[in-house]
Amino acid sequence: MDAIFTSFEMLGTTLIVPMAILGMIWGIFGGALPGISPSITMALLLPFTYTMDPISALVLLTSTYVGAEYGGSIPAILIRTPGTNASAATMIDGYEMKKKGKAGEALGISLQASSIGNFIGIFCVILLTGPLSQLALAFRPTTYFALGILGLSVIVSVSEGTLFKGLLAALIGLIIATIGTDPVTGVGRFTYGNADLLTGVPIILVMVGLFAVGEILEQIATRSDGSVVTDRVTRLKWPTWAIQKKTAKANFIGSAIGVFCGIMPGAGGTVASFMAYAEARRFSRTPQEFGKGSTEGVAAPEAANNADAGVGLIPLLSFGIPASNSTAVLLGGFLIHGLIPGPVLFSKDPTLLYGMFSGLLVASLALIPAAFLTLSASIWLVNRPKPYLMAFIGALVFSGAYSINNSVFDLGLVLAAGVLGFGMRFFGMPMLPTILGLVLGYMIEANYRRSLVISGGDNSIFLEDPIAVAFLGFAALFLVGSIIREVRDRKKKNRDMGVAA
Amino acid sequence: MLDRKFAARAAFASVLTFGIAAALPAVAQDKIAYPHKVVTLVTHSSAGGGSDVFLRDMTGYLKKIIDADFVVENVSGGSGAKAMAHMAKQKPDGSVFYATTPTYIYTSHMSDLDANYTALEPLVNVFYDPEVVYTRADAPFKTLQDVITKAKSERSAWGAANPGSLERITLEKLKKLTGVNAAIVTSEGGGETMVNVLNGTLDIAIGELQELRSQLEGKQVRVLAVLGDSPLPQLPDVPTAKAGGIDLVVQKFRGLAGPKGLPDDVTKVWDEAIPRLLADPEYKAKYEAAGLVPAFMPHAEAVTFTTNFADEQKAILTEVGITKK
Amino acid sequence: MDRDLISGLIGFALALVYLFAAADIPTSALGDSVGAAGFPHMLGYTMAAVSALFVAYRLWMLRAGAPRAVPSDDVFAQPARAFASAAGTVAICALFILIFEPLGYLPAIALLILGLCLYQGVRLDLRLVAIAVGGSFALWLLFAQLLAVRMPAGIFGELI
């Protein structure tokens, strides 16, 4: 508890508050641009932090980190383009809400969920860094493999009643994930001497291509049918009490899953947000609304990826191990000031840690006014006439894609993914399984094979890891449960159709 | 203490090579004239990564020695493959250099690239990044030999950061030298390897000293052996692997390279500048704290060193069967 | 023809192409028991099997008299026209990618905006040109100046 009081005391004495707000706005802005990842947004600030004192620098960087996670949901909801990897799950129902003219509400829910997720995440960091850090060490290759399988088991429930097509879509994602350097032997797979492919196909490029470019192609191709987006809402709407009550459970589920995934170095916000989406649906009173503009479907993934971002600081702060690209940049921010994060630093100089914590708390509050300031303009922008809107989304998407690696090849990849997305829309294939396969494929393969390397090819190594066994058990349970429900639904549907005919 | 902190901060201000050009007061020594006003230093690591921090630190001090401005450019992607392709297109006039590490040699060997390390000409070498073998603090092993003994009788798992890297091959070499059959587990980056060492999944791992700073400070890991010619000033009590009877020496170099055909007047400037850079007391304090060992090699030596290093690694890669030819 | 049936067949064809490509994965003496090609092979065979099952299932359903698979809110009522239109958009984007580096960021983005607008039937007038040029300049300020992304300078060369 002491930690919290010390944190509050520091607010008045240092530059924490202005830095938190500045970082927040910059983060939202960077996160909202597709292709500009949270880590790039933070890295851009690094040179400016050289001259600052350490606390200001760290608060600036961490609040940017928090802001970027939220910012990713803005284009996801408004133009069906995930700004960050983790916002792909928010996009599903967020964009559906937008199509129904409820963009303001969707943004409000995502804002509230982000704030809640942030708060819970940061409180976990402040109160539980010690005990949780021990848990972070319990994760072995076997555990990560099991976690990947658990993530994949969600596929059935996001396949929207088309199991075969969902499986095919997932396989497409898994196949794309095999392009690049082999995780165990280091040989190139499907790279054909191309330097751009050596490190694999960037997930964000595929997502932006599948969703944004696919959307542009579809919108332009179907211009005749007059289904113009009618959205006259021009400002963000804070969720009403009724909505808040409805999304409370989703917020809680999302935050819990986010905290859980955040502790594991390498699991990442994307896995957290998809798992949160699936779980919120499972426990929802109105699961049929998911995929059709459910408020809970927006809240759960947003709460999850923001909680994940906060808790993701634990491995860095307690062991000096960066769990993600963003925390690696943050580590750079520490090192620039000659500070090595880890247990010694914070017992030696606790004010630094408390300064950071209070900065994060201020940041999660500052999120709300910062969002109100920036969002009205964004909403106005996406309400321009469709032809201009499509052209500008195209220009924005290609600019963002180029800024990741400064590579024209990447632009080609985005366009190719767009063609794939168009094809999948035409055949009515769900795109989420593809994203899941893409996100989890490498994690599953690499850790499966690493486990076997350790055991010398003996599969029983997975049974020796109790956490892995639990994960695999859950995965099997989910899979069987979902299939039973799917079959039951289909029978019912067939019966209904028979009655109607 | 406060003064030193302030001095360090002032030094960081000078690292700001772009944006605000923090004009430094004229220093005692004369700056060496250089044919270009702006020199671009390319790195394959992204902003905040290992080579990037190395370059940005270095440029601040280099500015005081060479009469030019230095700009760091990140050409990330493809483990250096993209940076090499980028460099191959530049003019060899001394206006652009690439920050080298063994990674670019490895990437060249592992993949069939249009522009590989032979398109570049080493300029100078600056540092060695000492590689060490470490284990968790409460592990039963006290020496590298203990680990080998264990690996002889039962299955032992060893960790290295990337599948196709100097570290991985070094462990393969260690297996060959000692005749044990240990499992070598790779991961992306050092984070996962460290977790697996700490939780006991891996008996030992190999890594750069600077990656271990936090864990060493926190007494969570113990260094078993230094893979160099002599013990490190930062770890005077830790013996080299050689002293323990295992002839394993790794030279993870950090240097600069340019496009092929660098003119003599350019290479001469660097041959003169780098020893002065390494002698700068302020910089010395910093790089030693970061765990780097100065290893200056003038242009001529750097070229033969790199060629030999590349050939040697190629031979090892072929021997252990990673590359075909 | 039934759309689901076609997607199953395409999936099968893709699986074969992938398996064919996976045969070229080099083997390494450092390989584990699964090997670099192990996972791709498994995925390829699974994809072939799932596609084949899907095709069989659809054929069986169609014979049993199930309605053709058409989503209720089908926006692709005229597939041929939709494909032709999408091909045009793809061509514009591909052209943009070709000119992006030689021409430079500002002109290429302005032409992309102009091209996509014209293709969607916006009348070519001064206003549209101003929007395209202004838009590309705004995006350039955002990415190249504010975010310091190294965008190709192209024909403007050293000017920017």
Side-chain angles (χ1 to χ4, degrees):
Chain A
M1 256 352 215
D2 251 13
I4 296 174
F5 290 123
T6 322
S7 306
F8 282 125
E9 269 174 37
M10 292 185 69
L11 290 181
T13 51
T14 49
L15 280 176
I16 288 175
V17 177
M19 283 302 163
I21 295 172
L22 206 67
M24 204 71 226
I25 294 173
W26 175 253
I28 292 181
F29 171 72
L33 289 174
I36 306 288
S37 63
S39 53
I40 296 176
T41 315
M42 291 166 72
L44 284 167
L45 285 178
L46 271 185
F48 298 99
T49 62
Y50 281 112
T51 45
M52 294 177 188
D53 72 278
I55 289 185
S56 305
L58 292 176
V59 168
L60 181 67
L61 287 172
T62 42
S63 43
T64 304
Y65 169 61
V66 170
E69 285 303 330
Y70 166 71
S73 72
I74 300 172
I77 290 169
L78 292 179
I79 56 176
R80 206 181 190 187
T81 304
T84 56
N85 284 341
S87 60
T90 314
M91 184 174 63
I92 316 164
D93 280 291
Y95 188 72
E96 289 302 318
M97 284 186 74
K98 195 245 162 193
K99 279 208 305 209
K100 291 182 181 160
K102 290 187 193 158
E105 279 98 330
L107 287 167
I109 293 166
S110 126
L111 178 60
Q112 196 200 24
S114 298
S115 249
I116 294 174
N118 261 326
F119 245 96
I120 295 182
I122 294 158
F123 266 104
C124 284
V125 177
I126 296 179
L127 297 175
L128 303 173
T129 296
L132 285 185
S133 64
Q134 289 314 309
L135 198 61
L137 277 189
F139 285 82
R140 297 156 188 261
T142 43
T143 331
Y144 281 110
F145 165 74
L147 179 71
I149 295 292
L150 182 61
L152 264 194
S153 72
V154 169
I155 282 181
V156 182
S157 59
V158 295
S159 292
E160 297 148 25
T162 50
L163 190 54
F164 274 115
K165 286 195 258 187
L167 282 177
L168 283 180
L171 283 162
I172 292 174
L174 289 167
I175 281 174
I176 297 174
T178 59
I179 298 173
T181 306
D182 174 57
V184 172
T185 63
V187 299
R189 296 193 296 197
F190 313 108
T191 52
Y192 306 106
N194 185 319
D196 289 278
L197 286 178
L198 272 185
T199 35
V201 179
I203 294 170
I204 186 79
L205 290 184
V206 180
M207 294 213 293
V208 163
L210 273 183
F211 292 108
V213 179
E215 179 80 5
I216 296 172
L217 293 178
E218 182 187 310
Q219 290 276 346
I220 295 179
T222 57
R223 60 184 169 218
S224 52
D225 75 340
S227 70
V228 191
V229 191
T230 46
D231 188 357
R232 293 283 157 260
V233 188
T234 49
R235 60 187 191 83
L236 178 105
K237 274 192 201 148
W238 188 252
T240 61
W241 184 239
I243 295 180
Q244 290 195 30
K245 262 201 331 219
K246 197 173 172 206
T247 54
K249 190 162 65 179
N251 277 326
F252 174 74
I253 293 174
S255 302
I257 291 176
V259 168
F260 170 74
C261 287
I263 306 164
M264 297 182 260
T270 318
V271 179
S273 56
F274 276 103
M275 276 174 66
Y277 182 80
E279 290 319 302
R281 176 177 170 159
R282 195 186 311 279
F283 291 105
S284 170
R285 237 175 256 168
T286 51
Q288 71 280 2
E289 283 177 14
F290 276 69
K292 300 188 183 74
S294 161
T295 50
E296 293 160 274
V298 176
E302 266 315 291
N305 77 46
N306 282 279
D308 176 278
V311 178
L313 294 171
I314 291 181
L316 180 69
L317 299 180
S318 49
F319 301 113
I321 297 170
S324 62
N325 290 336
S326 320
T327 43
V329 176
L330 192 58
L331 176 63
F334 274 99
L335 295 179
I336 282 168
H337 290 92
L339 305 166
I340 307 161
V344 179
L345 175 67
F346 296 117
S347 52
K348 222 165 50 187
D349 190 5
T351 51
L352 202 66
L353 192 64
Y354 298 143
M356 240 179 94
F357 288 162
S358 46
L360 279 166
L361 290 177
V362 173
S364 48
L365 283 178
L367 179 62
I368 295 166
F372 268 98
L373 280 177
T374 46
L375 282 182
S376 294
S378 322
I379 298 178
W380 179 83
L381 272 177
V382 300
N383 278 318
R384 298 307 91 208
K386 188 170 122 184
Y388 298 105
L389 187 59
M390 289 301 137
F392 271 92
I393 294 175
L396 181 68
V397 159
F398 284 122
S399 305
Y402 187 79
S403 41
I404 300 175
N405 287 326
N406 299 94
S407 157
V408 173
F409 183 82
D410 285 356
L411 300 185
L413 273 183
V414 168
L415 187 58
V419 173
L420 176 68
F422 182 76
M424 288 176 71
R425 278 154 209 258
F426 177 77
F427 289 115
M429 284 172 101
M431 273 178 278
L432 286 178
T434 307
I435 298 299
L436 271 176
L438 194 62
V439 170
L440 298 170
Y442 189 86
M443 179 169 153
I444 292 174
E445 182 192 4
N447 287 297
Y448 179 67
R449 290 172 56 194
R450 279 174 201 150
S451 307
L452 288 192
V453 166
I454 294 173
S455 73
D458 185 358
N459 273 307
S460 65
I461 185 173
F462 295 102
L463 302 177
E464 289 159 17
D465 179 353
I467 310 179
V469 171
F471 284 178
L472 291 174
F474 277 127
L477 216 66
F478 290 170
L479 214 57
V480 172
S482 309
I483 290 174
I484 289 174
R485 199 172 56 196
E486 161 114 6
V487 170
R488 199 193 299 144
D489 285 359
R490 183 165 297 184
K491 270 197 185 141
K492 190 168 164 243
K493 209 160 75 186
N494 285 349
R495 210 180 314 129
D496 291 351
M497 275 168 76
V499 170
Chain B
M1 185 64 207
L2 220 123
D3 277 357
R4 247 181 59 201
K5 238 182 175 171
F6 180 75
R9 214 170 295 146
F12 277 114
S14 69
V15 177
L16 254 184
T17 48
F18 53 94
I20 319 148
L24 265 159
V27 268
Q29 264 176 312
D30 293 340
K31 289 186 187 179
I32 308 171
Y34 199 70
H36 300 278
K37 264 194 210 136
V38 179
V39 181
T40 308
L41 300 177
V42 174
T43 167
H44 61 250
S45 84
S46 43
S51 287
D52 179 71
V53 172
F54 158 74
L55 277 186
R56 286 180 201 271
D57 265 1
M58 190 174 85
T59 50
Y61 298 94
L62 211 50
K63 266 172 68 165
K64 296 194 272 181
I65 297 166
I66 295 180
D67 189 18
D69 275 323
F70 295 89
V71 180
V72 177
E73 187 175 322
N74 306 88
V75 183
S76 51
S79 310
K82 296 202 61 178
M84 283 188 268
H86 176 77
M87 287 304 292
K89 281 187 276 180
Q90 308 297 316
K91 276 193 222 122
D93 57 1
S95 63
V96 53
F97 295 105
Y98 169 56
T100 56
T101 67
T103 306
Y104 87 116
I105 307 273
Y106 268 88
T107 305
S108 301
H109 285 330
M110 302 286 295
S111 334
D112 198 12
L113 297 172
D114 295 333
N116 65 12
Y117 75 96
T118 54
L120 304 182
E121 178 178 337
L123 173 70
V124 284
N125 192 50
V126 188
F127 288 114
Y128 281 145
D129 243 338
E131 297 269 5
V132 296
V133 174
Y134 63 95
T135 185
R136 64 188 191 281
D138 55 354
F141 318 110
K142 298 285 178 254
T143 63
L144 188 54
Q145 199 56 50
D146 292 348
V147 181
I148 305 295
T149 314
K150 182 202 165 183
K152 279 198 170 127
S153 57
E154 56 190 298
R155 199 155 177 88
S156 176
W158 303 347
N162 291 301
S165 64
L166 180 64
E167 287 82 4
R168 202 260 171 93
I169 296 308
T170 305
L171 288 185
E172 295 289 346
K173 230 168 118 184
L174 179 61
K175 269 167 68 175
K176 258 203 156 60
L177 281 173
T178 55
V180 299
N181 185 23
I184 294 179
V185 183
T186 54
S187 66
E188 306 89 63
E192 278 175 52
T193 305
M194 176 57 75
V195 169
N196 284 321
V197 169
L198 293 179
N199 69 25
T201 306
L202 300 171
D203 287 335
I204 51 165
I206 177 173
E208 294 163 19
L209 181 61
Q210 53 169 341
E211 295 171 345
L212 309 180
R213 283 198 286 168
S214 169
Q215 287 75 29
L216 275 175
E217 237 185 45
K219 302 211 176 357
Q220 292 166 313
V221 298
R222 180 165 61 229
V223 176
L224 293 178
V226 174
L227 304 181
D229 284 316
S230 52
L232 297 170
Q234 294 91 343
L235 297 166
D237 303 332
V238 179
T240 60
K242 231 176 171 173
I246 301 166
D247 187 17
L248 194 63
V249 174
V250 192
Q251 290 168 317
K252 180 150 192 175
F253 57 86
R254 281 186 187 278
L256 295 170
K260 228 182 176 79
L262 293 171
D264 284 345
D265 58 328
V266 166
T267 59
K268 254 189 223 139
V269 172
W270 288 88
D271 282 355
E272 193 189 335
I274 296 298
R276 266 167 71 180
L277 170 77
L278 292 173
D280 184 319
E282 224 175 78
Y283 188 44
K284 195 177 163 89
K286 268 195 73 185
Y287 68 68
E288 275 183 354
L292 290 170
V293 174
F296 169 63
M297 277 180 220
H299 177 62
E301 197 187 330
V303 172
T304 43
F305 168 79
T306 311
T307 318
N308 289 343
F309 180 88
D311 292 346
E312 194 189 332
Q313 299 306 319
K314 177 92 183 167
I316 301 171
L317 285 169
T318 316
E319 195 189 326
V320 297
I322 291 189
T323 46
K324 279 165 286 180
K325 279 167 272 171
Chain C
M1 225 171 122
D2 185 72
R3 243 182 241 179
D4 279 4
L5 204 56
I6 303 176
S7 62
L9 290 171
I10 292 178
F12 193 75
L14 282 180
L16 292 186
V17 172
Y18 180 68
L19 280 172
F20 185 73
D24 282 344
I25 294 175
T27 47
S28 160
L30 295 186
D32 46 329
S33 53
V34 180
F39 202 63
H41 280 146
M42 198 201 85
L43 287 177
Y45 289 122
T46 313
M47 178 128 175
V50 170
S51 310
L53 272 174
F54 188 32
V55 170
Y57 171 76
R58 268 324 284 179
L59 285 175
W60 179 69
M61 288 290 281
L62 287 174
R63 274 191 59 177
R68 285 194 173 180
V70 171
S72 52
D73 53 342
D74 190 20
V75 290
F76 299 102
Q78 297 163 293
R81 224 179 110 181
F83 274 103
S85 162
T89 314
V90 171
I92 293 172
C93 294
L95 208 63
F96 157 77
I97 294 174
L98 284 179
I99 61 166
F100 188 61
E101 272 189 345
L103 220 53
Y105 184 82
L106 280 171
I109 289 284
L111 284 175
L112 176 71
I113 296 174
L114 195 69
L116 284 178
C117 283
L118 289 176
Y119 188 66
Q120 290 174 88
V122 178
R123 208 157 41 85
L124 178 64
D125 54 14
L126 214 59
R127 184 166 164 265
L128 178 60
V129 174
I131 287 177
V133 172
S136 102
F137 188 70
L139 285 172
W140 178 78
L141 281 181
L142 191 66
F143 282 95
Q145 296 310 111
L146 196 57
L147 292 167
V149 175
R150 199 161 30 87
M151 289 296 183
I155 50 170
F156 285 95
E158 296 294 308
L159 268 178
I160 45 176

